[in-house]
Amino acid sequence: MSNLYRFGVSLERQLIDDFDKHIKSLNYKNRSEAIRDLIRDALVKKQWLCDNEVAGAITMNYDHHKRELVNKLLDIQHDYQNIIISSQHVHIDHHNCLEIIAVKGKARNVETLASKLKSQKGVKHLSLSMSTTGKSLK
Ligand code: NI
């Protein structure tokens, strides 16, 4: 027996028309997968809000020539080695470094790590991609 559950939803015509246009532009073949992704996004957002164990990536660009900055960023990362799975350093050009740090741990710790890195002078941009370990999602 399938574990799929089917349900009906009533929506205003304009809303479903807009939704269909939107998901078509995102390359969805049908509404079901688009709605599954909306539900998963909501559940992952809640995992972060409730300080559950999460996974994600910190991407930051910083000035390679600020020597103290490089040491400071490394010190911070060593303080959070329990939640850092891996990191990749890319020399973008003579001045700029791009670092991608994969993380897994309690949401609050991940956010604190990201904010400690971001607030350093010389970090030009940092974004936190809030994803999931996937354990409780289908
Ligand atoms: Ni570099």
Side-chain angles (χ1 to χ4, degrees):
M1 196 165 120
S2 169
N3 65 353
L4 279 180
Y5 181 84
R6 289 190 172 77
F7 63 100
V9 179
S10 302
L11 298 172
E12 286 76 15
R13 168 57 65 188
Q14 188 63 54
L15 189 58
I16 194 65
D17 287 348
D18 289 348
F19 185 68
D20 285 345
K21 265 188 238 161
H22 175 65
I23 66 175
K24 190 176 178 195
S25 75
L26 296 174
N27 297 309
Y28 284 102
K29 301 282 183 269
N30 58 60
R31 289 177 188 149
S32 291
E33 191 55 28
I35 290 169
R36 282 186 204 107
D37 279 350
L38 287 177
I39 293 169
R40 291 184 192 114
D41 282 348
L43 294 174
V44 169
K45 197 172 182 181
K46 188 167 185 191
Q47 289 177 352
W48 281 82
L49 284 171
C50 294
D51 197 21
N52 292 352
E53 186 178 73
V54 295
I58 295 167
T59 305
M60 65 176 169
N61 183 302
Y62 61 88
D63 187 341
H64 160 81
H65 291 298
K66 290 192 187 297
R67 288 291 164 194
E68 285 176 21
L69 171 65
V70 175
N71 284 335
K72 184 69 186 165
L73 294 176
L74 283 174
D75 284 347
I76 294 168
Q77 289 184 58
H78 275 264
D79 289 343
Y80 285 84
Q81 51 82 24
N82 59 322
I83 62 170
I84 294 175
I85 304 167
S86 75
S87 67
Q88 182 176 30
H89 183 106
V90 180
H91 312 300
I92 294 288
D93 58 32
H94 188 67
H95 301 282
N96 296 292
C97 296
L98 182 75
E99 211 158 298
I100 304 154
I101 305 165
V103 288
K104 185 177 100 173
K106 299 281 271 181
R108 218 54 73 235
N109 287 342
V110 172
E111 288 174 319
T112 302
L113 167 61
S115 65
K116 281 187 177 178
L117 294 169
K118 188 173 189 171
S119 59
Q120 300 305 311
K121 191 175 181 202
V123 174
K124 296 178 180 180
H125 185 260
L126 182 147
S127 68
L128 172 57
S129 171
M130 297 176 165
S131 192
T132 177
T133 63
K135 278 180 192 162
S136 59
L137 291 180
K138 296 288 175 212

